[in-house]
Amino acid sequence: MGVELLTEGLEITALLSGDIDHHTAKDIRETIDARAEECKPQLLKLDFRQVDFMDSSGIGLIMGRYKLMQTLGGALRVVNVPGYIARVIRLSGLDKLGVLEKDVKRA
């Protein structure tokens, strides 16, 4: 699977890996959502350090987790984003939500 979840206190980190596309996004989404709804974290981090490829399904993954965390009263942070994926996030406008880690290198 393309996600490993680490829970520490009121924080969940989703370590994403491989490709995020229409074949993998549904399973990743369901795994993260189940844990978040169970734990009600204050912070959900999506860690993109090991992601090789992301298409528009990844944008949907981020947006959906943003909405989920808003509903749960928490926050979302997108961290360790490779430059080429950060560019896709910026082009989509998701960076305007304030979820993207600030020290991402420009692609």
Side-chain angles (χ1 to χ4, degrees):
M1 181 178 296
V3 64
E4 177 184 348
L5 299 177
L6 305 174
T7 304
E8 188 173 325
L10 293 174
E11 183 175 305
I12 296 173
T13 300
L15 301 171
L16 306 171
S17 63
D19 295 348
I20 300 176
D21 57 24
H22 70 278
H23 296 292
T24 61
K26 180 181 178 199
D27 289 338
I28 293 170
R29 188 172 58 241
E30 289 174 352
T31 300
I32 293 170
D33 289 359
R35 177 73 60 87
E37 289 170 1
E38 173 187 328
C39 297
K40 311 261 189 293
Q42 290 178 354
L43 179 63
L44 170 61
K45 290 183 184 177
L46 300 180
D47 189 324
F48 278 78
R49 181 184 338 245
Q50 295 181 30
V51 174
D52 300 318
F53 170 82
M54 182 180 91
D55 66 10
S56 61
S57 300
I59 298 301
L61 177 75
I62 295 169
M63 189 66 198
R65 285 351 83 218
Y66 175 80
K67 290 179 180 178
L68 173 65
M69 291 308 295
Q70 293 289 302
T71 300
L72 296 176
L76 174 71
R77 291 291 170 263
V78 180
V79 301
N80 299 317
V81 182
Y84 61 94
I85 293 177
R87 183 170 185 262
V88 172
I89 291 171
R90 282 192 289 276
L91 288 171
S92 73
L94 283 181
D95 61 316
K96 292 176 180 46
L97 297 176
V99 300
L100 187 61
E101 185 176 61
K102 298 295 182 201
D103 61 354
V104 173
K105 294 181 177 116
R106 294 237 176 229

